[in-house]
Amino acid sequence: EKMNSTMSEEPDALSVVNQLRDLAADPLNRRAIVQDQGCLPGLILFLDHPSPPVVHSALLALRYLAECRANREKMKSELGMMLSLQNVIQKTTTPGETKLLASEVYDILQSSNMSDMDNVNEMNYRRRKAQFFLGSTNKRAKTVVLHIDGLDDSSRRNLCEEALLKIKGVISFTFQMAVQRCVVRIRSDLKAEALATAIASTKVMKAQQVVKSESGEEMLVPFQDTPVEVEQNTDLPEYLPEDESPTKEQDKAVSRVGSHPEGAASWLSTAANFLSRSFYW
């Protein structure tokens, strides 16, 4: 009887991978997760999971872990990592957002040994790799830069995150708090107005689009005031944004709230135990 109660409390794959993703979202946990014996191999195995939300969530966790430069070499050389990422990208049944996310992780790790190059070259290199690797899929994503009035502290940032997470077609986003900006990667069939509608729904922030004029100057373009119907994102786990922008480093000084490395460490061992048991089907 005792055995049964233990079995029913066993966490499922999605809740474990979501926990890892949430831990990886905190920069203070990223080194520990990659150093842990069981977590990285477990996340790689999750990339082959039959459930699309599990795969997407595992990719988000890896995307966060790859934000930490010191993790990249170890991640890249981990058995099965690059191969599993390629499989996700090449599998015809993989959803579009997931393919794009997998290619993003692949490119970051692939260029990990180029640390002596400056950011601009590295970004161009990644982009070329992505185009070669993704082929037509890459054309299905676009980048929208938003200037957000009222984006001036971490609670506003959280509101903004929540609003963007609800939109189907958002792939990833990066905040540049110092300049009140958010760089959003979206599927090309999603209208940028939908982002503005979602941000306006917070009632305390308003978004304008940053565009470049022909002479290369940046201009702010207000969105139309007519709200756009936003399709809610139901089939994928939330996307949490990366905390380190490749273009601007100003907001690095903004400290993150609620980091509990001790709690993370104890949870990691639980996750690792689960991973080591659950993959021997």
Side-chain angles (χ1 to χ4, degrees), residues 223-243:
F223 287 99
Q224 302 304 315
D225 278 338
T226 47
V228 176
E229 191 61 43
V230 172
E231 194 181 347
Q232 298 292 298
N233 198 358
T234 47
D235 56 339
L236 287 176
E238 311 97 82
Y239 190 102
L240 292 152
E242 63 245 38
D243 72 333

Side-chain angles (χ1 to χ4, degrees), residues 91-255:
K91 210 181 278 178
T92 50
T93 52
T94 304
E97 280 97 336
T98 308
K99 277 190 183 194
L100 288 159
L101 184 55
S103 70
E104 215 170 87
V105 177
Y106 183 92
D107 296 329
I108 291 169
L109 297 182
Q110 191 60 34
S111 57
S112 64
N113 55 352
M114 304 172 62
S115 53
D116 53 331
M117 292 183 73
D118 64 336
N119 264 337
V120 177
N121 285 349
E122 191 176 333
M123 290 299 287
N124 289 340
Y125 172 79
R126 283 188 207 170
R127 209 167 287 130
R128 276 204 310 280
K129 291 285 294 182
Q131 278 157 358
F132 165 74
F133 204 55
L134 274 169
S136 59
T137 322
N138 208 36
K139 298 186 182 73
R140 297 214 296 266
K142 62 185 177 187
T143 301
V144 178
V145 181
L146 301 176
H147 177 84
I148 301 173
D149 293 314
L151 179 67
D152 44 26
D153 62 26
S154 58
S155 66
R156 292 282 176 90
R157 170 180 162 152
N158 291 344
L159 276 176
C160 196
E161 284 178 13
E162 281 167 28
L164 291 172
L165 291 178
K166 293 192 179 114
I167 307 173
K168 195 175 171 62
V170 169
I171 297 160
S172 68
F173 44 87
T174 305
F175 286 97
Q176 298 170 358
M177 295 296 286
V179 286
Q180 292 189 305
R181 283 193 183 177
C182 182
V183 180
V184 194
R185 291 276 291 157
I186 58 176
R187 296 292 301 271
S188 57
D189 50 5
L190 178 67
K191 288 189 166 67
E193 283 76 10
L195 305 177
T197 302
I199 286 162
S201 74
T202 64
K203 304 280 193 287
V204 289
M205 287 176 284
K206 195 167 183 244
Q208 299 180 78
Q209 191 169 357
V210 182
V211 294
K212 278 208 162 86
S213 69
E214 284 178 19
S215 60
E217 283 177 68
E218 288 189 347
M219 301 185 303
L220 293 183
V221 180
F223 287 99
Q224 302 304 315
D225 278 338
T226 47
V228 176
E229 191 61 43
V230 172
E231 194 181 347
Q232 298 292 298
N233 198 358
T234 47
D235 56 339
L236 287 176
E238 311 97 82
Y239 190 102
L240 292 152
E242 63 245 38
D243 72 333
E244 188 181 285
S245 151
T247 45
K248 296 249 168 51
E249 304 276 307
Q250 299 113 306
D251 57 334
K252 268 205 179 158
V254 179
S255 64

Side-chain angles (χ1 to χ4, degrees), residues 40-56:
L40 211 50
L43 282 169
I44 293 170
L45 288 165
F46 276 136
L47 294 179
D48 291 326
H49 201 278
S51 157
V54 170
V55 175
H56 196 82

